[in-house]
Amino acid sequence: MTPSVAQPRSLDDAVEALRTAIDPTVLAGGTDLMVAINAGSRRPTSVVSLIRVPELQGWHRDGDEVVLGACLTYAEIERGELASLVPALAQAARTIGSPQIRNAATLGGNLGTASPAGDSLPVLAALDATVETIGPDGVRTLPVLEFVTGVKRTALRAQEIITAVRVPVLRGPQEFLKVGTRNAMVISVVMAALVIDLDGRSVRLGLGSVAPVPVRARDAEALAEGSVDWDTARIGDQTVFGRFGELAAESTAPIDDHRSTAAYRRHAVSVCARRALERALR
Ligand SMILES: Cc1cc2nc3c(=O)[nH]c(=O)nc-3n(C[C@H](O)[C@H](O)[C@H](O)COP(=O)(O)OP(=O)(O)OC[C@H]3O[C@@H](n4cnc5c(N)ncnc54)[C@H](O)[C@@H]3O)c2cc1C
């Protein structure tokens, strides 16, 4: 059966289309959803396309935060002013798919899919991003670590959509490292996103593809925070970098699958975390 397709032109119309449609499926860039439909694993009865909703496009600055529309594409994230405000997210965006994919695929779609290998997710975790939603119960705001609840599972309720993601603009270096089985067009085996907040004197490490949900490596963060000379933004004790990597690996719960072994993932996390900290604070 061919699904009905609604193409709302405003957020109000999108909310109304979701409320009135029978078991609606949301479509943004379609780079995950259309793959699933073509493979026969999803058969929507009705589709609500968000891609023409102006309120979900682009990004804007709001004080010391940036508000990223759910339909913001990786092509928009990877360059320009936004890339300088949230460099780790831009680095992650540059590793995603191909230029064609990055022109279509959206941040909201990465969150909606909630794959453990979603490249934006460890960055958003490191940034303590919040996800804004709208639905029949009104507007909600959730920390990203509460939004992603399991492998391809989210806290989204029926007929609810992501409208935006809020991330802080922080002063300090940021790094994103990704390991895959080749250099491009690759699903992550491991990701590490490091964010240094020089004003808040915090070190935040988000990890991906190493557990059902994105992970924050709290023990590694505490070690690094206690080792930084915040006046120079440097770590003098050279043993800290290796220990940081070890603690990062200990915070993961990886699995063996067709892309990697759990043991290799633990090793790769320790290397990526150490390198990220060396680049940022050595
Ligand atoms: C060739 C190829 C390469 C890829 N490479 C990568 C990669 O390197 N890294 C990576 O992370 N991903 C990759 N992907 C996956 C995909 O591109 C991303 O997950 C992308 O962010 C999905 O966004 P989209 O707009 O296309 O989502 P869609 O396919 O439109 O939707 C994805 C899911 O999210 C839901 N959804 C979308 N928008 C919203 C919203 N606003 N509110 C609620 N739910 C919503 C949809 O209902 C659907 O369940 C790749 C895909 C392909 C086909």
Side-chain angles (χ1 to χ4, degrees), residues 95-116:
T95 74
I96 290 176
S98 60
Q100 295 90 334
I101 293 293
R102 296 198 290 275
N103 277 331
T106 66
L107 189 63
N110 212 222
L111 281 161
T113 294
S115 162

Side-chain angles (χ1 to χ4, degrees), residues 34-43:
M34 294 312 297
V35 172
I37 290 173
N38 289 338
S41 58
R42 288 184 75 172
R43 295 185 189 282

Side-chain angles (χ1 to χ4, degrees), residues 26 28-33 42 50 74 96-97 106 109-110 112-113 119 162:
V26 168
T31 61
D32 279 325
L33 183 61
R42 288 184 75 172
L50 301 181
Y74 299 117
I96 290 176
T106 66
N110 212 222
T113 294
D119 283 315
I162 303 157

Side-chain angles (χ1 to χ4, degrees), residues 13-282:
D13 287 353
V15 171
E16 183 61 11
L18 286 158
R19 194 184 64 78
T20 53
I22 297 162
D23 190 21
T25 297
V26 168
L27 173 71
T31 61
D32 279 325
L33 183 61
M34 294 312 297
V35 172
I37 290 173
N38 289 338
S41 58
R42 288 184 75 172
R43 295 185 189 282
T45 51
S46 65
V47 172
V48 176
S49 168
L50 301 181
I51 216 68
R52 291 187 175 80
V53 175
E55 293 93 328
L56 304 180
Q57 312 298 321
W59 65 277
H60 64 273
R61 182 109 189 214
D62 183 13
D64 53 7
E65 294 183 318
V66 283
V67 183
L68 312 172
C71 288
L72 186 71
T73 65
Y74 299 117
E76 295 171 295
I77 295 171
E78 69 181 313
R79 55 181 176 248
E81 189 189 353
L82 183 56
S84 64
L85 294 175
V86 199
L89 193 59
Q91 288 177 39
R94 289 182 202 117
T95 74
I96 290 176
S98 60
Q100 295 90 334
I101 293 293
R102 296 198 290 275
N103 277 331
T106 66
L107 189 63
N110 212 222
L111 281 161
T113 294
S115 162
D119 283 315
S120 74
L121 304 185
V123 184
L124 298 180
L127 287 163
D128 283 327
T130 52
V131 181
E132 297 182 345
T133 68
I134 193 166
D137 301 329
V139 172
R140 294 197 296 147
T141 302
L142 294 132
V144 71
L145 290 178
E146 289 176 27
F147 179 84
V148 182
T149 56
V151 176
K152 300 197 172 181
R153 299 181 75 86
T154 71
L156 271 180
R157 297 174 182 158
Q159 296 158 319
E160 199 174 41
I161 57 167
I162 303 157
T163 51
V165 180
R166 261 178 196 271
V167 300
V169 176
L170 299 172
R171 195 173 63 84
Q174 299 186 4
E175 297 289 341
F176 175 82
L177 283 83
K178 167 172 168 176
V179 173
T181 50
R182 55 180 184 246
N183 280 343
M185 286 290 284
V186 66
I187 295 180
S188 301
V189 165
V190 154
M191 293 163 273
L194 182 75
V195 170
I196 311 296
D197 176 5
L198 292 177
D199 298 315
R201 300 197 163 188
S202 70
V203 174
R204 301 130 171 239
L205 181 66
L207 304 171
S209 283
V210 290
V213 295
V215 166
R216 279 285 291 273
R218 306 282 182 190
D219 290 345
E221 293 176 356
L223 170 77
E225 282 168 8
S227 307
V228 182
D229 174 347
W230 289 103
D231 293 328
T232 59
R234 291 281 172 267
I235 292 176
D237 179 351
Q238 298 304 303
T239 65
V240 168
F241 299 101
R243 184 67 189 135
F244 182 78
E246 288 167 9
L247 288 172
E250 285 171 22
S251 67
T252 65
I255 55 167
D256 293 326
D257 66 10
H258 58 290
R259 288 194 199 102
S260 182
T261 62
Y264 179 74
R265 284 191 163 103
R266 269 193 211 92
H267 170 71
V269 159
S270 71
V271 173
C272 288
R274 173 176 55 74
R275 278 187 195 161
L277 193 68
E278 286 171 349
R279 286 179 192 175
L281 296 176
R282 179 173 256 171

Side-chain angles (χ1 to χ4, degrees), residues 5-18:
V5 178
Q7 299 188 62
R9 306 291 174 127
S10 72
L11 189 55
D12 284 348
D13 287 353
V15 171
E16 183 61 11
L18 286 158

